[in-house]
């Protein structure tokens, strides 16, 4: 190991069946796949540019190509879900959740690209990350969009992506920003309950359910690539969020 972000032998054994499998299109890698994954984890943790990857990693162009191909094949999301299911089973829980928590985070963008806008309330020009987690804070779904689009509308996209793949979900918890279109969509189209958190009185107050998803955003702060949105494509932005969740899962005692 050269860096704390590098995969240990135990961590590699847990993920190699997904990230190490051949590309279905027949593309072959001239580099060891473990080194490619180490480079991607390093970039996500350190927040550097692709061109600034240390020279002992494979060429940055090759690393980026692997990153994009794996994103297009849904490998990052699949790996994130696999680690989530393993963690839940070890705690004696069902592999997939029956209750989801949803929230959004607005961040500035540094690159010209698709889906950018100005969030009037937070005074941020960039994008919003909508995430869905379980009650443990494990990430299950992410949707990135321009920051000027309201949560209640874009939340419908996140709900569709989540409920389509997680039919066991019985209810969703969100904050007051999701009232209206989102609540109607989930109840009418999916026949699921929507619970809203509420704050009584003034000042700061810890809300047990909402605090879980806020803690997940806090975990992402340790990945400097997510401090701002550096990606030109929203698909890349979503992949980086999944990679941050994967890195966090691999740091659990189960893999160390």
């Amino acid at each position: 190991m050269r860096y704390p972000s590098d995969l240990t032998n135990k961590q590699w054994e847990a993920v190699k069946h997904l990230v190490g499998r051949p590309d279905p299109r027949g593309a072959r890698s001239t580099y060891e796949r473990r080194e490619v994954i180490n480079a991607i984890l390093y970039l996500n943790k350190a927040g550097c540019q692709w061109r600034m990857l240390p020279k002992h990693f494979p060429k940055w162009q090759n690393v980026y190509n692997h990153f994009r191909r794996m994103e297009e094949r849904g490998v990052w999301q699949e790996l994130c879900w696999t680690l989530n299911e393993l963690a839940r089973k070890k705690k004696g829980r069902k592999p997939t959740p029956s209750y989801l928590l949803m929230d959004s985070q607005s961040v500035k963008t540094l690159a010209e690209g698709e889906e950018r806008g100005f969030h009037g309330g937070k005074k941020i020009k960039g994008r919003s990350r909508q995430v869905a987690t379980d009650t443990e804070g494990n990430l299950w779904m992410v949707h990135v969009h321009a920051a000027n689009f309201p949560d209640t509308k874009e939340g419908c996209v996140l709900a569709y992506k989540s409920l389509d793949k997680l039919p066991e979900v019985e209810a969703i918890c969100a904050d007051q920003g999701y009232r209206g279109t989102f609540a109607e969509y989930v109840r009418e189209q999916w026949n699921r309950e929507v619970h809203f958190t509420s704050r009584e009185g003034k000042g700061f107050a810890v809300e047990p359910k909402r605090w879980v998803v806020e803690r997940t955003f806090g975990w992402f702060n340790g990945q400097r690539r997510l401090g701002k949105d550096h990606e030109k494509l929203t698909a890349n932005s979503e992949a980086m969020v999944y990679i941050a969740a994967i890195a966090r899962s691999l740091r659990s005692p189960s893999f160390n």
Side-chain angles (χ1 to χ4, degrees):
M1 291 177 62
R2 293 177 298 257
Y3 305 103
S5 57
D6 284 358
L7 294 170
T8 65
N9 291 335
K10 191 173 182 180
Q11 291 169 346
W12 175 243
E13 288 297 320
V15 303
K16 70 178 183 180
H17 67 289
L18 287 175
V19 300
R21 65 190 181 189
D23 191 313
R25 295 176 295 184
R28 295 184 179 181
S29 173
T30 57
Y31 299 99
E32 182 184 354
R33 188 60 59 89
R34 182 171 175 176
E35 277 298 282
V36 172
I37 302 303
N38 281 340
I40 295 171
L41 292 174
Y42 174 89
L43 180 135
N44 195 277
K45 178 66 176 179
C48 67
Q49 297 175 333
W50 289 101
R51 299 171 187 270
M52 298 296 289
L53 281 171
K55 297 300 182 182
H56 50 258
F57 284 128
K59 293 181 180 179
W60 74 266
Q61 297 95 328
N62 296 85
V63 176
Y64 178 75
N65 287 339
H66 277 285
F67 164 79
R68 282 288 294 155
R69 286 201 296 267
M70 293 171 71
E71 182 272 316
E72 291 169 355
R73 288 156 46 201
V75 173
W76 300 120
Q77 184 190 63
E78 185 179 358
L79 178 54
C80 182
W81 282 35
T82 299
L83 295 176
N84 289 347
E85 291 172 0
L86 182 60
R88 290 176 62 89
K89 287 179 181 178
K90 288 188 175 182
K91 292 185 178 182
R93 309 189 68 179
K94 294 181 179 179
T96 55
S98 60
Y99 195 78
L100 288 179
L101 310 173
M102 292 187 178
D103 202 355
S104 66
Q105 178 189 52
S106 296
V107 293
K108 294 181 179 179
T109 51
L110 294 183
E112 292 291 339
E114 62 181 12
E115 296 286 329
R116 300 175 71 217
F118 182 74
H119 192 296
K122 298 180 181 178
K123 309 301 181 185
I124 290 177
K125 183 177 182 179
R127 294 174 178 153
S128 289
R129 300 170 181 149
Q130 302 245 4
V131 302
T133 75
D134 59 21
T135 55
E136 298 285 337
N138 299 312
L139 177 74
W140 287 92
M141 194 62 68
V142 59
H143 170 54
V144 176
H145 58 87
N148 59 314
F149 293 158
D151 290 347
T152 188
K153 292 188 66 175
E154 291 300 319
C156 296
V157 179
L158 182 65
Y160 170 79
K161 294 168 68 174
S162 301
L163 297 175
D164 184 56
K165 292 190 175 182
L166 295 169
E168 299 85 359
V169 172
E170 299 174 359
I172 296 174
C173 179
D175 65 18
Q176 299 293 324
Y178 287 82
R179 285 190 176 276
T181 304
F182 172 79
E184 295 173 2
Y185 172 76
V186 173
R187 287 168 178 158
E188 294 177 6
Q189 299 296 323
W190 294 94
N191 194 29
R192 301 296 198 280
E193 284 296 319
V194 180
H195 304 153
F196 293 101
T197 57
S198 61
R199 291 180 176 175
E200 298 181 1
K202 297 181 179 180
F204 176 79
V206 175
E207 301 173 75
K209 293 178 181 178
R210 179 180 166 84
W211 190 251
V212 173
V213 67
E214 292 288 355
R215 183 184 61 186
T216 301
F217 284 131
W219 286 334
F220 293 161
N221 290 337
Q223 305 292 314
R224 298 189 69 181
R225 186 78 180 184
L226 300 188
K228 294 181 180 179
D229 194 323
H230 298 261
E231 318 305 326
K232 290 186 177 182
L233 304 176
T234 55
N236 287 3
S237 299
E238 293 173 359
M240 284 298 177
V241 176
Y242 283 120
I243 292 169
I246 291 167
R248 181 253 168 186
S249 295
L250 290 174
R251 290 195 300 270
S252 68
S254 302
F255 304 104
N256 293 282

